[in-house]
Coordinates of all heavy atoms in Angstrom, one line a residue:
S6 N 4.4 -114.6 -11.4 CA 3.8 -113.3 -11.9 C 2.9 -113.6 -13.1 O 3.2 -114.3 -13.9 CB 4.9 -112.3 -12.2 OG 4.4 -111.2 -12.7
V7 N 1.8 -112.9 -13.0 CA 0.8 -113.1 -14.0 C 1.2 -112.4 -15.3 O 1.0 -112.9 -16.4 CB -0.5 -112.5 -13.6 CG1 -1.5 -112.6 -14.8 CG2 -1.1 -113.2 -12.3
F8 N 1.9 -111.2 -15.1 CA 2.3 -110.5 -16.3 C 3.9 -110.6 -16.4 O 4.5 -110.3 -15.4 CB 1.9 -109.0 -16.2 CG 0.4 -108.8 -16.0 CD1 -0.1 -108.5 -14.9 CD2 -0.3 -108.9 -17.2 CE1 -1.5 -108.4 -14.8 CE2 -1.8 -108.8 -17.2 CZ -2.4 -108.5 -15.9
P9 N 4.3 -110.9 -17.5 CA 5.8 -111.1 -17.6 C 6.6 -109.8 -18.0 O 7.4 -109.8 -18.9 CB 5.9 -112.0 -18.8 CG 4.8 -111.8 -19.7 CD 3.7 -111.4 -18.7
F10 N 6.2 -108.6 -17.5 CA 6.7 -107.4 -17.7 C 7.9 -107.2 -16.9 O 8.0 -107.6 -15.7 CB 5.8 -106.3 -17.4 CG 4.6 -106.4 -18.3 CD1 3.2 -106.2 -17.8 CD2 4.6 -106.4 -19.7 CE1 2.1 -106.3 -18.5 CE2 3.4 -106.5 -20.6 CZ 2.3 -106.4 -20.0
T11 N 9.0 -106.6 -17.4 CA 10.1 -106.1 -16.5 C 9.9 -105.0 -15.8 O 8.9 -104.1 -16.2 CB 11.3 -105.9 -17.4 OG1 11.1 -104.8 -18.3 CG2 11.6 -107.2 -18.3
I12 N 10.5 -104.8 -14.8 CA 10.4 -103.6 -13.9 C 10.7 -102.3 -14.8 O 10.0 -101.2 -14.5 CB 11.3 -103.6 -12.6 CG1 10.8 -104.7 -11.7 CG2 11.4 -102.3 -11.9 CD1 11.7 -105.0 -10.5
S13 N 11.6 -102.3 -15.6 CA 11.9 -101.2 -16.4 C 10.8 -100.8 -17.4 O 10.4 -99.6 -17.6 CB 13.3 -101.4 -17.2 OG 13.2 -102.5 -18.1
F14 N 10.1 -101.9 -17.9 CA 8.9 -101.6 -18.8 C 7.8 -100.9 -18.0 O 7.2 -100.0 -18.4 CB 8.5 -102.9 -19.4 CG 7.3 -102.8 -20.3 CD1 7.3 -102.2 -21.5 CD2 6.0 -103.2 -19.8 CE1 6.3 -101.9 -22.4 CE2 4.9 -103.1 -20.6 CZ 5.0 -102.4 -21.9
I15 N 7.6 -101.5 -16.8 CA 6.5 -100.9 -16.0 C 6.8 -99.5 -15.6 O 6.0 -98.6 -15.6 CB 6.3 -101.8 -14.6 CG1 5.7 -103.2 -15.1 CG2 5.4 -101.1 -13.7 CD1 5.7 -104.2 -14.1
A16 N 8.1 -99.1 -15.3 CA 8.5 -97.8 -15.0 C 8.3 -96.9 -16.1 O 7.9 -95.8 -16.0 CB 10.0 -97.8 -14.5
Y17 N 8.6 -97.4 -17.4 CA 8.4 -96.7 -18.6 C 6.9 -96.3 -18.7 O 6.6 -95.2 -19.1 CB 9.0 -97.4 -19.7 CG 8.7 -96.9 -21.1 CD1 9.4 -95.7 -21.6 CD2 7.6 -97.3 -21.8 CE1 9.1 -95.2 -22.8 CE2 7.3 -96.8 -23.2 CZ 8.1 -95.7 -23.5 OH 7.7 -95.1 -24.8
I18 N 6.1 -97.3 -18.6 CA 4.6 -97.0 -18.7 C 4.1 -96.0 -17.7 O 3.4 -95.2 -18.0 CB 3.8 -98.4 -18.6 CG1 4.2 -99.4 -19.7 CG2 2.4 -98.1 -18.5 CD1 3.9 -98.9 -21.2
Q19 N 4.6 -96.2 -16.4 CA 4.3 -95.2 -15.4 C 4.7 -93.8 -15.8 O 3.9 -93.0 -15.5 CB 4.9 -95.7 -14.0 CG 4.4 -94.9 -12.9 CD 3.0 -95.0 -12.6 OE1 2.4 -96.2 -12.4 NE2 2.2 -93.9 -12.4
Q20 N 5.8 -93.7 -16.2 CA 6.4 -92.3 -16.6 C 5.5 -91.8 -17.8 O 5.1 -90.6 -17.8 CB 7.8 -92.4 -17.0 CG 8.5 -91.1 -17.3 CD 8.3 -90.1 -16.1 OE1 8.5 -90.5 -15.0 NE2 8.1 -88.8 -16.4
A21 N 5.1 -92.6 -18.8 CA 4.3 -92.1 -19.7 C 2.9 -91.7 -19.3 O 2.4 -90.7 -19.8 CB 4.1 -93.3 -20.9
I22 N 2.4 -92.5 -18.4 CA 1.1 -92.0 -17.8 C 1.3 -90.7 -17.2 O 0.4 -89.8 -17.2 CB 0.5 -93.1 -16.9 CG1 0.1 -94.4 -17.7 CG2 -0.7 -92.7 -16.1 CD1 -0.2 -95.6 -17.0
N23 N 2.2 -90.6 -16.3 CA 2.6 -89.4 -15.5 C 2.6 -88.1 -16.5 O 2.0 -87.1 -16.1 CB 3.8 -89.4 -14.7 CG 3.8 -90.4 -13.6 OD1 2.6 -90.9 -13.2 ND2 4.7 -90.8 -13.1
E24 N 3.2 -88.3 -17.7 CA 3.3 -87.2 -18.6 C 2.0 -86.8 -19.2 O 1.6 -85.7 -19.5 CB 4.4 -87.5 -19.7 CG 5.8 -87.6 -19.2 CD 6.2 -86.2 -18.7 OE1 5.9 -85.2 -19.4 OE2 7.0 -86.2 -17.7
M25 N 1.1 -87.9 -19.5 CA 0.0 -87.7 -20.2 C -1.1 -87.0 -19.3 O -2.0 -86.2 -19.8 CB -0.7 -89.0 -20.6 CG -0.1 -89.7 -21.8 SD -0.8 -91.2 -22.5 CE -1.9 -91.6 -21.2
V26 N -1.0 -87.1 -18.0 CA -2.1 -86.6 -17.0 C -1.7 -85.4 -16.4 O -2.5 -84.8 -15.5 CB -2.5 -87.6 -16.0 CG1 -3.1 -88.9 -16.8 CG2 -1.3 -88.0 -15.1
K27 N -0.4 -84.7 -16.8 CA -0.1 -83.5 -16.1 C -1.1 -82.5 -16.3 O -1.7 -82.3 -17.5 CB 1.2 -83.0 -16.8 CG 2.4 -83.7 -16.1 CD 3.8 -83.0 -16.6 CE 4.9 -83.7 -15.9 NZ 6.1 -83.3 -16.4
G28 N -1.4 -81.9 -15.4 CA -2.6 -80.7 -15.4 C -4.0 -81.3 -15.5 O -5.0 -80.5 -15.7
K29 N -4.1 -82.5 -15.4 CA -5.5 -83.2 -15.4 C -5.8 -83.9 -14.1 O -4.9 -84.3 -13.3 CB -5.6 -84.1 -16.6 CG -5.2 -83.5 -18.0 CD -5.3 -84.5 -19.1 CE -5.1 -84.0 -20.3 NZ -3.7 -83.8 -20.8
T30 N -7.0 -84.2 -13.9 CA -7.5 -85.0 -12.8 C -7.6 -86.5 -13.3 O -8.3 -86.7 -14.3 CB -8.8 -84.5 -12.2 OG1 -8.7 -83.2 -11.8 CG2 -9.3 -85.5 -11.1
L31 N -7.0 -87.4 -12.6 CA -7.1 -88.7 -13.0 C -7.5 -89.5 -11.8 O -6.9 -89.5 -10.6 CB -5.8 -89.3 -13.5 CG -5.6 -90.7 -13.9 CD1 -6.5 -91.0 -15.1 CD2 -4.1 -91.0 -14.1
V32 N -8.5 -90.4 -11.9 CA -9.0 -91.3 -10.8 C -8.4 -92.7 -11.1 O -8.6 -93.2 -12.2 CB -10.4 -91.3 -10.7 CG1 -10.9 -92.3 -9.6 CG2 -11.0 -90.0 -10.4
V33 N -7.6 -93.3 -10.2 CA -7.0 -94.5 -10.4 C -7.5 -95.4 -9.2 O -7.4 -95.1 -8.1 CB -5.5 -94.5 -10.4 CG1 -4.8 -95.8 -10.4 CG2 -5.0 -93.5 -11.5
I34 N -7.8 -96.6 -9.6 CA -8.2 -97.6 -8.6 C -7.0 -98.6 -8.5 O -6.8 -99.2 -9.7 CB -9.6 -98.3 -8.8 CG1 -10.6 -97.2 -8.8 CG2 -9.7 -99.4 -7.8 CD1 -12.0 -97.7 -9.1
A35 N -6.3 -98.8 -7.5 CA -5.1 -99.6 -7.5 C -5.1 -100.5 -6.2 O -5.4 -100.1 -5.2 CB -3.9 -98.8 -7.6
H36 N -4.6 -101.7 -6.5 CA -4.3 -102.6 -5.3 C -2.8 -102.5 -5.0 O -2.3 -102.8 -3.9 CB -4.7 -104.0 -5.6 CG -6.2 -104.1 -5.6 ND1 -6.9 -104.0 -6.8 CD2 -7.0 -104.3 -4.6 CE1 -8.2 -104.2 -6.5 NE2 -8.3 -104.5 -5.2
K37 N -2.0 -102.2 -6.0 CA -0.5 -102.1 -5.9 C -0.2 -100.7 -5.6 O -0.2 -99.8 -6.4 CB 0.1 -102.6 -7.2 CG 1.6 -102.8 -7.2 CD 2.1 -103.4 -8.5 CE 3.5 -103.8 -8.3 NZ 4.0 -104.4 -9.5
L38 N 0.2 -100.5 -4.3 CA 0.4 -99.0 -3.9 C 1.6 -98.4 -4.5 O 1.6 -97.2 -4.7 CB 0.7 -99.1 -2.3 CG -0.5 -99.6 -1.5 CD1 -0.1 -99.6 0.0 CD2 -1.7 -98.9 -1.7
S39 N 2.5 -99.2 -5.0 CA 3.7 -98.5 -5.7 C 3.2 -97.8 -6.9 O 3.8 -96.9 -7.5 CB 4.7 -99.6 -6.1 OG 4.2 -100.6 -7.0
A40 N 2.0 -98.3 -7.5 CA 1.5 -97.6 -8.7 C 1.0 -96.2 -8.4 O 0.8 -95.4 -9.3 CB 0.4 -98.5 -9.3
I41 N 0.7 -95.9 -7.1 CA 0.1 -94.6 -6.8 C 0.9 -93.8 -5.8 O 0.5 -92.7 -5.3 CB -1.3 -94.8 -6.3 CG1 -1.3 -95.8 -5.1 CG2 -2.3 -95.4 -7.4 CD1 -2.6 -95.8 -4.3
M42 N 2.2 -94.2 -5.7 CA 3.1 -93.5 -4.7 C 3.2 -92.0 -4.9 O 3.3 -91.2 -4.0 CB 4.4 -94.1 -4.6 CG 4.5 -95.4 -4.0 SD 6.2 -96.0 -4.0 CE 7.1 -94.8 -3.3
E43 N 3.2 -91.5 -6.3 CA 3.4 -90.3 -6.5 C 2.1 -89.4 -6.7 O 2.1 -88.2 -7.0 CB 4.2 -90.1 -7.9 CG 5.5 -90.8 -7.8 CD 6.5 -90.1 -6.9 OE1 6.5 -88.8 -6.6 OE2 7.1 -90.9 -6.1
A44 N 1.0 -90.0 -6.3 CA -0.3 -89.3 -6.5 C -0.4 -88.1 -5.5 O 0.2 -88.2 -4.4 CB -1.5 -90.2 -6.2
D45 N -1.1 -87.0 -5.9 CA -1.3 -85.9 -5.1 C -2.2 -86.3 -3.9 O -2.0 -85.6 -2.8 CB -1.9 -84.8 -5.9 CG -1.0 -84.2 -7.0 OD1 0.1 -84.2 -6.8 OD2 -1.6 -83.8 -8.0
Q46 N -3.1 -87.1 -4.0 CA -3.9 -87.6 -3.0 C -4.3 -89.0 -3.2 O -4.7 -89.4 -4.2 CB -5.2 -86.7 -3.0 CG -6.1 -86.9 -1.8 CD -7.1 -85.8 -1.7 OE1 -8.2 -86.2 -1.2 NE2 -7.0 -84.7 -2.2
I47 N -4.4 -89.7 -2.2 CA -4.8 -91.2 -2.1 C -5.9 -91.3 -1.1 O -5.8 -90.7 0.1 CB -3.5 -92.0 -1.7 CG1 -2.3 -91.8 -2.7 CG2 -4.0 -93.5 -1.5 CD1 -1.1 -92.5 -2.2
L48 N -6.9 -91.9 -1.5 CA -8.1 -92.3 -0.6 C -8.0 -93.8 -0.3 O -7.9 -94.6 -1.1 CB -9.3 -92.0 -1.2 CG -9.6 -90.6 -1.7 CD1 -10.9 -90.4 -2.3 CD2 -9.4 -89.5 -0.6
M49 N -7.9 -94.0 1.0 CA -7.9 -95.5 1.5 C -9.4 -95.8 1.8 O -10.0 -95.2 2.5 CB -7.1 -95.6 2.7 CG -7.0 -97.0 3.3 SD -5.7 -97.9 2.5 CE -5.7 -99.4 3.6
I50 N -9.9 -96.8 1.1 CA -11.2 -97.3 1.2 C -11.3 -98.7 1.8 O -10.7 -99.6 1.3 CB -11.9 -97.2 -0.2 CG1 -11.9 -95.8 -0.7 CG2 -13.3 -97.7 -0.1 CD1 -12.5 -95.6 -2.1
E51 N -12.0 -98.8 2.8 CA -12.2 -100.1 3.5 C -13.7 -100.3 3.6 O -14.3 -99.4 4.3 CB -11.4 -100.1 4.8 CG -9.9 -100.0 4.7 CD -9.2 -100.0 5.9 OE1 -9.1 -98.9 6.5 OE2 -8.7 -101.0 6.3
D52 N -14.2 -101.4 3.3 CA -15.6 -101.8 3.5 C -16.6 -100.6 2.9 O -17.5 -100.3 3.6 CB -16.0 -102.0 5.0 CG -15.3 -103.2 5.6 OD1 -15.1 -104.2 4.7 OD2 -14.8 -103.2 6.7
G53 N -16.1 -100.1 1.8 CA -16.9 -99.0 1.1 C -16.9 -97.6 1.7 O -17.6 -96.7 1.3
Q54 N -16.1 -97.5 2.7 CA -15.9 -96.2 3.4 C -14.5 -95.6 3.3 O -13.5 -96.4 3.3 CB -16.2 -96.3 4.9 CG -17.6 -96.8 5.2 CD -18.7 -95.8 4.7 OE1 -18.6 -94.7 5.1 NE2 -19.7 -96.3 4.2
I55 N -14.4 -94.3 3.0 CA -13.0 -93.7 3.0 C -12.5 -93.7 4.4 O -13.2 -93.0 5.3 CB -13.1 -92.3 2.4 CG1 -13.6 -92.4 1.0 CG2 -11.8 -91.5 2.6 CD1 -13.8 -91.0 0.3
T56 N -11.5 -94.3 4.7 CA -11.0 -94.4 6.1 C -9.7 -93.5 6.2 O -9.3 -93.3 7.4 CB -10.6 -95.8 6.4 OG1 -9.6 -96.4 5.5 CG2 -11.8 -96.6 6.5
A57 N -9.1 -93.0 5.2 CA -7.9 -92.2 5.3 C -7.7 -91.5 4.0 O -8.1 -92.0 2.9 CB -6.6 -93.0 5.6
R58 N -7.0 -90.3 4.0 CA -6.8 -89.6 2.7 C -5.4 -88.8 3.1 O -5.2 -88.3 4.2 CB -7.9 -88.5 2.6 CG -7.8 -87.6 1.6 CD -8.9 -86.5 1.7 NE -10.1 -87.1 1.7 CZ -11.2 -86.7 0.9 NH1 -11.0 -85.7 0.1 NH2 -12.3 -87.3 1.1
G59 N -4.8 -88.8 2.0 CA -3.4 -88.0 2.0 C -2.5 -88.5 1.0 O -2.9 -89.2 0.0
T60 N -1.2 -88.0 1.1 CA -0.2 -88.5 0.1 C 0.4 -89.8 0.7 O 0.0 -90.2 1.8 CB 1.0 -87.5 0.1 OG1 1.6 -87.5 1.4 CG2 0.5 -86.1 -0.3
H61 N 1.2 -90.4 -0.2 CA 1.7 -91.7 0.4 C 2.5 -91.6 1.7 O 2.3 -92.3 2.6 CB 2.8 -92.3 -0.8 CG 3.5 -93.4 -0.4 ND1 3.0 -94.7 -0.3 CD2 4.9 -93.6 -0.1 CE1 3.9 -95.6 0.0 NE2 5.1 -94.9 0.2
S62 N 3.4 -90.6 1.7 CA 4.1 -90.2 3.0 C 3.2 -89.9 4.2 O 3.4 -90.5 5.2 CB 5.1 -89.1 2.7 OG 5.8 -88.8 3.8
Q63 N 2.1 -89.1 3.9 CA 1.3 -88.8 4.9 C 0.5 -90.1 5.5 O 0.4 -90.3 6.7 CB 0.1 -87.8 4.6 CG 0.8 -86.4 4.4 CD -0.1 -85.5 3.6 OE1 -1.0 -85.9 2.9 NE2 0.1 -84.2 3.8
L64 N 0.1 -91.0 4.5 CA -0.7 -92.1 5.0 C 0.2 -93.1 5.7 O -0.3 -93.9 6.6 CB -1.3 -92.7 3.8 CG -2.4 -91.9 3.2 CD1 -3.0 -92.6 1.9 CD2 -3.6 -91.8 4.2
L65 N 1.5 -93.2 5.3 CA 2.4 -94.1 6.0 C 2.5 -93.7 7.5 O 2.6 -94.7 8.3 CB 3.8 -94.0 5.4 CG 3.9 -94.8 4.0 CD1 5.4 -94.6 3.6 CD2 3.7 -96.3 4.2
H66 N 2.3 -92.5 7.8 CA 2.4 -92.0 9.3 C 1.1 -92.0 9.9 O 1.0 -92.2 11.1 CB 3.1 -90.7 9.3 CG 4.6 -90.7 8.9 ND1 5.0 -90.5 7.6 CD2 5.6 -91.1 9.6 CE1 6.3 -90.6 7.5 NE2 6.7 -91.0 8.7
S67 N 0.0 -91.7 9.2 CA -1.2 -91.5 9.8 C -2.2 -92.7 9.8 O -3.1 -92.7 10.5 CB -2.0 -90.3 9.2 OG -2.2 -90.5 7.8
S68 N -2.1 -93.7 8.9 CA -3.0 -94.7 8.7 C -2.3 -96.1 9.0 O -1.4 -96.5 8.2 CB -3.5 -94.7 7.4 OG -4.3 -95.9 7.1
S69 N -2.6 -96.8 10.0 CA -2.0 -98.0 10.3 C -2.4 -99.1 9.3 O -1.6 -100.0 8.9 CB -2.5 -98.6 11.7 OG -3.8 -98.6 11.8
S70 N -3.7 -98.9 8.7 CA -4.1 -99.9 7.6 C -3.2 -99.7 6.4 O -2.7 -100.7 5.8 CB -5.4 -99.7 7.2 OG -6.4 -100.0 8.3
Y71 N -3.0 -98.5 5.9 CA -2.2 -98.2 4.7 C -0.7 -98.7 5.0 O -0.1 -99.3 4.2 CB -2.1 -96.7 4.5 CG -1.6 -96.4 3.2 CD1 -2.2 -96.4 2.0 CD2 -0.2 -96.0 3.1 CE1 -1.6 -96.1 0.7 CE2 0.5 -95.7 2.0 CZ -0.2 -95.6 0.8 OH 0.3 -95.4 -0.4
H72 N -0.2 -98.4 6.2 CA 1.2 -98.7 6.6 C 1.3 -100.2 6.6 O 2.3 -100.7 6.0 CB 1.5 -98.2 7.9 CG 3.0 -98.3 8.3 ND1 3.4 -99.4 9.0 CD2 4.0 -97.7 8.0 CE1 4.7 -99.4 9.2 NE2 5.1 -98.2 8.5
E73 N 0.5 -101.0 7.1 CA 0.5 -102.4 7.1 C 0.5 -103.0 5.6 O 1.2 -103.9 5.3 CB -0.5 -103.1 7.9 CG -0.2 -102.9 9.4 CD 1.1 -103.6 9.8 OE1 1.3 -104.7 9.4 OE2 1.8 -102.9 10.5
L74 N -0.4 -102.5 4.8 CA -0.5 -102.9 3.4 C 0.7 -102.6 2.7 O 1.2 -103.5 1.9 CB -1.7 -102.2 2.8 CG -2.1 -102.7 1.5 CD1 -2.4 -104.1 1.3 CD2 -3.3 -101.9 0.9
W75 N 1.3 -101.4 2.9 CA 2.6 -101.0 2.4 C 3.7 -102.1 2.7 O 4.5 -102.5 1.9 CB 2.9 -99.6 2.6 CG 4.3 -99.3 2.1 CD1 5.4 -99.0 2.9 CD2 4.6 -99.0 0.8 NE1 6.5 -98.6 2.1 CE2 6.1 -98.7 0.8 CE3 3.9 -99.1 -0.5 CZ2 6.6 -98.3 -0.4 CZ3 4.6 -98.9 -1.5 CH2 6.1 -98.3 -1.6
K76 N 3.8 -102.3 4.0 CA 4.8 -103.3 4.5 C 4.6 -104.7 3.8 O 5.7 -105.3 3.4 CB 4.8 -103.5 6.0 CG 5.5 -102.4 6.8 CD 5.5 -102.6 8.3 CE 5.1 -103.9 8.9 NZ 5.0 -103.8 10.3
K77 N 3.4 -105.2 3.7 CA 3.2 -106.5 3.2 C 3.6 -106.4 1.7 O 4.2 -107.4 1.2 CB 1.8 -106.9 3.3 CG 1.3 -107.3 4.7 CD -0.1 -107.7 4.8 CE -0.5 -107.9 6.2 NZ -1.9 -108.2 6.4
Q78 N 3.2 -105.4 1.0 CA 3.6 -105.4 -0.4 C 5.1 -105.2 -0.6 O 5.6 -105.8 -1.6 CB 2.8 -104.2 -1.2 CG 1.3 -104.5 -1.3 CD 0.5 -103.5 -2.1 OE1 1.1 -102.6 -2.7 NE2 -0.7 -103.7 -2.2
K79 N 5.8 -104.4 0.1 CA 7.2 -104.3 0.1 C 8.0 -105.6 0.3 O 8.8 -106.0 -0.3 CB 7.7 -103.3 1.0 CG 8.0 -101.9 0.5 CD 8.5 -101.0 1.5 CE 9.9 -101.2 1.8 NZ 10.5 -100.3 2.7
Q80 N 7.4 -106.4 1.3 CA 8.0 -107.7 1.6 C 7.8 -108.7 0.6 O 8.7 -109.5 0.2 CB 7.5 -108.3 2.8 CG 7.9 -107.5 4.1 CD 7.1 -108.0 5.5 OE1 6.0 -108.6 5.3 NE2 7.5 -107.4 6.5
S81 N 6.6 -108.6 -0.2 CA 6.5 -109.5 -1.3 C 7.3 -109.3 -2.5 O 7.6 -110.1 -3.3 CB 5.0 -109.5 -1.7 OG 4.7 -108.3 -2.4
L82 N 7.8 -108.0 -2.7 CA 8.7 -107.6 -3.6 C 10.2 -108.2 -3.4 O 10.9 -108.6 -4.3 CB 8.9 -106.1 -3.8 CG 7.5 -105.5 -4.4 CD1 7.8 -104.0 -4.4 CD2 7.3 -106.0 -5.9
V83 N 10.5 -108.3 -2.1 CA 11.8 -108.7 -1.8 C 12.0 -110.2 -1.9 O 13.1 -110.8 -2.4 CB 12.0 -108.4 -0.3 CG1 13.4 -109.0 0.1 CG2 12.1 -106.9 0.0
R84 N 10.9 -111.0 -1.9 CA 10.9 -112.4 -2.0 C 11.1 -112.9 -3.3 O 10.9 -112.5 -4.4 CB 9.7 -113.1 -1.5 CG 9.6 -112.9 0.0 CD 8.3 -113.4 0.6 NE 8.4 -113.0 2.0 CZ 7.3 -113.1 2.8 NH1 6.2 -113.6 2.4 NH2 7.3 -112.7 4.0

């Protein structure tokens, strides 16, 4: 791992960000899907085009690209 942060530290930072942005619009660009799981709306962008839009749960069911990316990232966490 590039960053020697513990999972609890990352969760603490994520919770602090969630509190700071309540009632505000925040645009986040993320490669790590777990960082945006609680977002109100996620845009999947491929080759510069929006290919899917929705919540994490909606995209898992409606976007094969998002679902595959999620599976790959989950598997990498288990290893």
